[in-house]
Amino acid sequence: MTAYLPRDPAVVAACAALLGSLVVAGFAIVRDGRVVAAWVLTILGVFSADRLLRHEAPGLRMVGIIAVLLTGMKVVTWSVIRRRGSRGGTARSDLRMREWLAFAAWPGMRPADFATLGNEPRSGVHSRVLAGLKSIACGLVLVMAARAVVIVWPPAIRSAARCFVATALLLPGLSLILHFGLFGLATALWRSRGVACENPFRRPLRSNGLAELWSRRWNVGFSEMIATVVDRPLRARVGESAALLVSFCASGLLHELAITVPVGRGYGLPTLYFAVQGAFVLAERRFGPIHRLALARAWMFAGLLVPLPLCFPLPFLRGVIWPLIGLS
């Protein structure tokens, strides 16, 4: 866990103050739909977080950069939505400060959902709590199994095999804890407060292809954000296929900030991974969907997992992921 412990608490406090300032400044910017100002605020915020945390451990750097980046992209997304609404003559998405603070603490990217904060509770709160707790429990089992692999792996067997097995257990375990567990509990919390939100991670194993996975099941909030700020503005200029490929590359660039920047190595590999995913999605559209479910899911898993080392390069695993289970 040393990868997540602060070396200088004052620097971490300064980064927290930066995040708070970004939230307040962002609220002022979006009220007028100032998209350029929103982008400038986000870029300066991420740069400042990176500089503030440059001497901190990689895991803590990752958390700080992600927090600032996510908040900044909420400002950008909300500004684009408001600007587009005002030009089209539609009702503008408006949040009060209390609703904006709640939206800022949520992984999704639909500000309008939080306009109902304080209304009657939504349905399905208890089922989502139970599902979230089950996901956390299953994730902890996988994480503990990964830790057991590190401890009991026979020394005669190659260490590379030990790292592979431990990582294959650890990554799904962390995803279950965070994406399906904690986010599921957060969904239940906000729904109990009247917010019509859904977990951005929506049964991805039921996807029938990569297009469905990336657009409607895996991190839907991120997909909606990219669609709002990249894909839709580009479609009329460069065409649907080019806009889609640029959108995937933009996703890769944002992932660089969370993966390669904190460890200072492996630059370009996450972007390449998402470019490959974009090419695969275009191939699905070009040749049509695979109608046999087993083949469709085999294609999906192969497309995701075979190039996955590009998304999570070895320096990131060493600096951010493996320290969680004491793997060197």
Side-chain angles (χ1 to χ4, degrees):
M1 295 297 292
T2 55
Y4 295 85
L5 297 178
R7 297 171 182 170
D8 186 349
V11 169
V12 178
C15 191
L18 169 67
L19 181 61
S21 301
L22 189 67
V23 171
V24 174
F27 181 76
I29 286 174
V30 296
R31 297 191 70 83
D32 294 325
R34 292 180 283 177
V35 178
V36 174
W39 276 112
V40 171
L41 179 72
T42 301
I43 293 170
L44 289 179
V46 172
F47 177 80
S48 299
D50 176 57
R51 293 295 85 199
L52 280 172
L53 298 171
R54 64 188 181 278
H55 297 305
E56 294 295 327
L60 186 60
R61 290 192 70 203
M62 179 193 70
V63 172
I65 291 173
I66 287 177
V68 171
L69 176 64
L70 180 63
T71 302
M73 291 309 299
K74 287 177 182 289
V75 176
V76 171
T77 303
W78 190 12
S79 298
V80 171
I81 290 172
R82 289 177 64 90
R83 174 65 62 86
R84 191 171 295 157
S86 64
R87 286 179 176 177
T90 59
R92 300 173 74 183
S93 174
D94 196 14
L95 299 181
R96 294 169 293 180
M97 175 59 82
R98 179 177 71 112
E99 297 159 350
W100 160 241
L101 292 175
F103 173 56
W106 168 249
M109 287 286 174
R110 289 185 180 179
D113 289 347
F114 283 80
T116 60
L117 180 65
N119 289 1
E120 291 294 320
R122 302 280 174 170
S123 62
V125 172
H126 296 296
S127 63
R128 286 172 172 81
V129 169
L130 290 176
L133 293 176
K134 288 179 181 178
S135 294
I136 291 174
C138 292
L140 288 174
V141 169
L142 289 177
V143 171
M144 289 187 291
R147 174 59 179 164
V149 167
V150 173
I151 295 173
V152 305
W153 191 269
I157 302 178
R158 291 182 59 188
S159 60
R162 181 184 70 158
C163 292
F164 177 82
V165 173
T167 304
L169 293 168
L170 180 59
L171 289 179
L174 295 176
S175 183
L176 282 170
I177 292 171
L178 177 62
H179 299 146
F180 303 95
L182 296 179
F183 287 179
L185 295 180
T187 302
L189 170 65
W190 291 123
R191 289 184 70 87
S192 72
R193 299 287 296 153
V195 178
C197 61
E198 293 289 349
N199 191 332
F201 296 84
R202 303 173 185 175
R203 299 180 177 180
L205 296 181
R206 294 191 177 186
S207 302
N208 294 327
L210 290 169
E212 179 181 350
L213 175 77
W214 290 120
S215 63
R216 300 202 299 273
R217 293 194 179 275
W218 185 264
N219 204 352
V220 175
F222 189 91
S223 301
E224 291 173 343
M225 175 194 73
I226 291 294
T228 299
V229 303
V230 180
D231 184 68
R232 290 170 192 157
L234 282 178
R235 281 189 182 185
R237 300 179 181 180
V238 300
E240 184 176 350
S241 296
L244 184 142
L245 192 56
V246 171
S247 297
F248 271 96
C249 291
S251 299
L253 290 173
L254 292 178
H255 280 78
E256 297 275 357
L257 296 172
I259 294 174
T260 58
V261 169
V263 298
R265 295 178 63 189
Y267 297 114
L269 294 179
T271 301
L272 179 58
Y273 175 80
F274 279 94
V276 169
Q277 296 303 305
F280 286 166
V281 171
L282 287 177
E284 284 187 7
R285 293 185 176 183
R286 171 66 177 83
F287 297 106
I290 301 174
H291 296 291
R292 293 185 61 181
L293 184 59
L295 290 177
R297 292 187 175 172
W299 154 259
M300 180 187 73
F301 282 114
L304 283 174
L305 299 180
V306 171
L308 193 60
L310 294 173
C311 189
F312 299 116
L314 192 57
F316 175 75
L317 295 177
R318 285 175 173 162
V320 175
I321 301 300
W322 289 348
L324 292 170
I325 53 174
L327 178 62
S328 60

